[in-house]
Amino acid sequence: MQKQLKQKNWFIPLSVLTLCVGLSACGDNDSPNTTQATIPKLSPAVGTNLKGACADLQGFQYANTSITSASLETAGSLKVAGQDIAAHCRIIGYMYSRVSPVDGQSYQIGFEMRLPLDWNGRFLYQGNGGTDGNIATATGQVGSGGPLTNALHDGFAVISSDAGHNASQNPLFGLDPQARIDYGYGAITKLTPMAKNLIQAAYGKLPDRSYAGGTSNGGRHAMMAATRLADQYDGILASTPGFHLPRAAAAQLYTAQQLRRVATDENDLSTALTLSERKLLAQSILNQCDGLDGIADGLVQDVEGCRRAFDIHRDVPVCAVERDGSCLSTEQLDVLANIYRGPVNATGEALYATQPFDPGLLGSNWASWKFDSSVGTARDPVAVGIIFQVPPNPDVMLNSRQFAFNFNFDVDYAKLSATNETYQESAMSFMIPPNELNLDQLHQHGGKMIVVQGTADGVFSVDDTQNWYDKLLQKYQNNASGNAPSFVRFFRVPGMNHSRGGIATDQFDALKALVNWVEYGQAPDQIIAGARGEGNASGQVNTELPADWSATRTRPLCPYPLIARYNGQGDSEQAQNFSCKL
């Protein structure tokens, strides 16, 4: 058995430490050893112009597909960061229209494609978030806060879909077994070949390079593309991926149950941990962990060091009598320790993942997920009770709060893996990538993958993603054609909440980094991220940033397990004065 370095409630496999030594050596190219030559080098995409008129594409024919409109969108009809997006064709249509034999509802996979008149030769599948049901504008914005560009602006052809149901059917589409599957993986599987054929009809050739990206549930869709459609995509960008979404949603119900124990009003779970108490907790974490990366700057870069340095029972002031915002009660500390440990059943079996303590818990996004979404009718209880469990229980809509409070982790949790005659595929099958550690097909044809997630994500634990990547490192550590960092890299964003926001430098362009890696062999040794302070070019200012941060603060996001450490000199507000190290 491989030796491991044990630390409090976590492990770093020695294989991780071995692999990371050579990781930075992959920066100029992705060939850390000579055997890597067996993996093909993918050439850059070559652009071309649209052939014919936009309106002609309304006559596009493909099995089970209807095009309802094809129209020219003039330059400036869409903008990003104040910049005009160039003229493009907007195609609207749907696939696989049907009436469900189970709930009698009409379903179809609705989609929108936007095709630049001046195309760069690339295709992007845009995975959307939440429970889907809306066809988000197909701009190809697939991660980070306050985008300064997007895939459409950069010349990609982009598709967006509703994943097989419309918003009026949320969450009751979970009553239909096929709608569940389309939400999980069916939509991207059906849309991908159709979209490529439509691109060929528009430009006279298939895309040279294809990418799949998204945030949250869209990140999970990207993980699906990396496994189920690995031969169809060259680059995968999974931002904040909820790729174990059923487990994460159930963990939210556990969070609600724990918070209820210390809430002064169970109808307002924020009373379990008030803003002043969250500020106290965040400061207690900073007191122990802020300087571990070489500079006290309000960010905890050294996530692993902080696990050793911070103990919630030891390092947070305990109330002698009443809660007054300057301390936490013993019961509050126990509740928080349980939440950050994750749900367990009666035998003590861990049912999800741990979470790292991070001062980003001050973010309103973090609070919304913990206090509201964990009991709300639009989020986790209805997802678990109607979309994920077998059999579904539509009565959850009547009182989602009580469903969350009464969810039994010894009895109800098993329903996420259950099937019956009607629902022959469980949520743990249709929502999760099959054999999630097998990326051989993506790797062997030269594909690359970037995964990005905030360390203060309030719903999908960054530790869950990190656990997956640790296993990936071990699987590919002796691979003859290259170890895991040669084609997959994982970046943590300190302080960032779910997808964006929090106390973080959350503005970055991981798609550009992915294209440079896939097509030009430039492996990302870091991705520069900025704070969205006053005057940010995106027009989307992060109002929760500390007052003592520079509005233009930057930091390098480092490929795990490396972290950004201050070099000891130079302006600490600038990324150039930090290096990615152990």
Side-chain angles (χ1 to χ4, degrees), residues 363-382:
S364 58
N365 178 283
W366 183 93
S368 175
W369 280 103
K370 295 300 186 190
F371 303 143
D372 301 327
S373 296
S374 62
V375 290
T377 56
R379 291 291 189 182
D380 298 296
V382 296

Side-chain angles (χ1 to χ4, degrees), residues 152-219:
L152 183 63
H153 183 56
D154 291 342
F156 285 70
V158 183
I159 189 170
S160 167
S161 90
D162 59 13
H165 60 276
N166 64 59
S168 68
Q169 295 167 321
N170 276 336
L172 293 175
F173 76 87
L175 300 178
D176 179 70
Q178 184 59 51
R180 287 181 170 208
I181 291 171
D182 285 341
Y183 171 61
Y185 65 84
I188 188 173
T189 302
K190 295 166 184 171
L191 287 165
T192 296
M194 182 281 299
K196 289 190 175 188
N197 275 270
L198 181 51
I199 287 172
Q200 185 172 42
Y203 298 108
K205 71 170 189 174
L206 291 168
D208 295 319
R209 294 289 161 254
S210 297
Y211 296 83
T215 301
S216 190
N217 181 52

